[in-house]
Amino acid sequence: MTSENPATNRPRCRSLMGVRILSTGSYLPEKIVTNAVLQEQMPECDSEWLVKQTGIRERRHAAPDQATSDLCIESGRRCLEAGLIDPSSVDLLVLATVTPDMSFPATASIVQNALGLNCPAFDLSAGCSGFIYGLVMAASAVRAGTSDLALVIAGDCMSRVSNPKDRKTFPLLGDGSGAVLVAAGRPDQGLVSYCMGSDGSGGDLLYRKACGSRFPPTPELLEAGAHYLVMDGRGVFTWAVTILSDTINDVLTDAGLGPLDIDLYIPHQANRRIINAALDVLHVPRSRVITNLERYGNTSAASAAIALDETRRAGLIASGSRLILSGYGAGLSWGTALWKW
Ligand SMILES: CC(C)(COP(=O)(O)OP(=O)(O)OC[C@H]1O[C@@H](n2cnc3c(N)ncnc32)[C@H](O)[C@@H]1OP(=O)(O)O)[C@@H](O)C(=O)NCCC(=O)NCCS
């Protein structure tokens, strides 16, 4: 069997049952930056335009002394507390981020130490798909028997890598972190179907050029702002609508289910228009779609994890609930999972 679904040219869907999400947690920095505040700092940024074109009303920014690890330590700690889990029983930490504290050591190692975990820990870079990638990696380890209790944390400080003078990107992004603990579950729990993919030919739609090994920082690069992310908003938008609806369709078809068999849709929170356009095609009632981007903007890897935690804490998820979780972004990369709770 090839790895590709010949009907779609995308990597085929797979299934991974017998795993469960034991608990969730999230953390958002305290500082709320409203559209009005942004407009004061950046007069060419139109608050009404933002609401109309994206749905975003405010976002959170990390305090000057907070880095990605600080956000992840807090969401991880809340996740452990919610599950009444002793840190010593966690045996794997997967941390998804594109804004690590430093190139190395891994942000995962900083978080492992702070949380008092005694386990392997590594960073995973998959843009806004990072949480879904991490969830699938953790579920795979649990199913393979190489982990009994895996902690997945997704966190980003996007305010640190976007240009505060660029009205086209800075207002869209925010800082935050979400976490889940994955353990063995009932045979009918887990990843009913999931798909993940990568298309590096679209890498120039969303990237951060400087400060890696190809373009180490120089005064000239910093002067030119090459350490800030660059995005072709229109290009990403068009791609995102298609990949979100197509991959949801892929997992539903693979599972033999229809859109109305899903209790809740928890997509990456980039833009309300992306979410609505993708889910309207599938005739998904808006009442089943979770959004929090109006409060947090796009928190990159963290967004679906934060939304999942808020949804669980609101009591909207019960044993047997079917959820669609999805992420899409830089890479280009994507991941969509049909999860049975
Ligand atoms: C970024 C995005 C909101 C822009 O919406 P759009 O309708 O495509 O708008 P455009 O980029 O074509 O810009 C239209 C105009 O609005 C302006 N504009 C952009 N941001 C603005 C703001 N905050 N305030 C006022 N005007 C703004 C642009 O400068 C442009 O004006 P111009 O033609 O004079 O240059 C949209 O493309 C999008 O959401 N893309 C995906 C972004 C994303 O979330 N990516 C993350 C990875 S998933």
Side-chain angles (χ1 to χ4, degrees):
M1 186 186 272
T2 70
S3 65
E4 189 177 286
N5 177 345
T8 65
N9 289 334
R10 286 185 289 280
R12 69 182 176 86
C13 296
R14 292 167 190 270
S15 180
L16 200 62
M17 300 298 282
V19 285
R20 69 182 165 130
I21 293 177
L22 199 95
S23 68
T24 65
S26 64
Y27 172 74
L28 281 307
E30 280 174 22
K31 186 177 177 193
I32 298 173
V33 181
T34 62
N35 288 353
V37 166
L38 270 189
Q39 196 170 340
E40 275 168 28
Q41 294 162 2
M42 200 196 293
E44 67 281 15
C45 174
D46 179 347
S47 171
E48 288 310 309
W49 185 96
L50 275 176
V51 174
K52 185 163 164 279
Q53 294 299 99
T54 71
I56 298 168
R57 294 178 181 274
E58 56 191 46
R59 72 285 297 140
R60 301 293 180 95
H61 282 175
D65 63 347
Q66 282 182 314
T68 295
S69 67
D70 298 302
L71 314 189
C72 293
I73 289 164
E74 193 52 33
S75 70
R77 193 182 59 71
R78 292 179 183 188
C79 184
L80 292 168
E81 282 177 7
L84 303 174
I85 297 297
D86 188 306
S88 65
S89 46
V90 174
D91 55 22
L92 177 66
L93 171 60
V94 182
L95 192 147
T97 186
V98 290
T99 53
D101 288 19
M102 302 174 254
S103 289
F104 61 88
T107 301
S109 295
I110 298 167
V111 173
Q112 165 268 316
N113 184 48
L115 289 178
L117 312 181
N118 185 6
C119 66
F122 64 93
D123 286 4
L124 180 163
S125 173
C128 300
S129 317
F131 172 60
I132 308 297
Y133 270 55
L135 183 63
V136 172
M137 292 305 114
S140 305
V142 168
R143 277 292 283 133
T146 54
S147 168
D148 293 322
L149 190 55
L151 178 59
V152 181
I153 306 182
D156 271 310
C157 267
M158 298 308 288
S159 66
R160 297 281 157 75
V161 295
S162 44
N163 185 345
K165 296 200 172 90
D166 181 6
R167 72 174 180 178
K168 289 189 173 187
T169 53
F170 193 73
L172 309 178
L173 300 158
D175 305 337
S177 175
V180 298
L181 271 164
V182 181
R186 299 188 311 261
D188 68 323
Q189 284 180 307
L191 286 156
V192 180
S193 177
Y194 71 91
C195 63
M196 300 192 295
S198 169
D199 177 9
S201 72
D204 58 356
L205 290 180
L206 181 53
Y207 62 92
R208 182 175 176 233
K209 175 174 164 177
C211 299
S213 60
R214 186 166 299 281
F215 298 105
T218 61
E220 293 74 27
L221 281 174
L222 296 179
E223 177 65 26
H227 55 305
Y228 290 130
L229 70 80
V230 174
M231 179 171 70
D232 171 351
R234 282 263 163 110
V236 174
F237 187 98
T238 310
W239 170 80
V241 170
T242 307
I243 202 74
L244 179 57
S245 62
D246 284 356
T247 57
I248 291 174
N249 202 30
D250 286 351
V251 296
L252 288 174
T253 305
D254 185 55
L257 296 171
L260 295 179
D261 294 318
I262 302 303
D263 296 296
L264 291 171
Y265 289 77
I266 308 182
H268 169 50
Q269 307 284 309
N271 180 325
R272 192 193 294 277
R273 287 192 301 132
I274 293 177
I275 295 173
N276 286 349
L279 294 176
D280 284 354
V281 171
L282 300 170
H283 305 293
V284 171
R286 298 230 171 129
S287 57
R288 296 197 190 185
V289 183
I290 301 294
T291 57
N292 60 15
L293 57 83
E294 53 283 353
R295 286 175 286 138
Y296 306 139
N298 178 350
T299 53
S300 185
S303 84
I306 295 169
L308 174 64
D309 177 54
E310 292 190 335
T311 306
R312 183 196 62 79
R313 283 190 291 114
L316 298 176
I317 304 175
S319 178
S321 292
R322 289 197 192 104
L323 314 176
I324 291 277
L325 299 162
S326 187
Y328 45 85
L332 299 169
S333 67
W334 64 91
T336 294
L338 196 176
W339 187 281
K340 185 153 175 228
W341 200 265

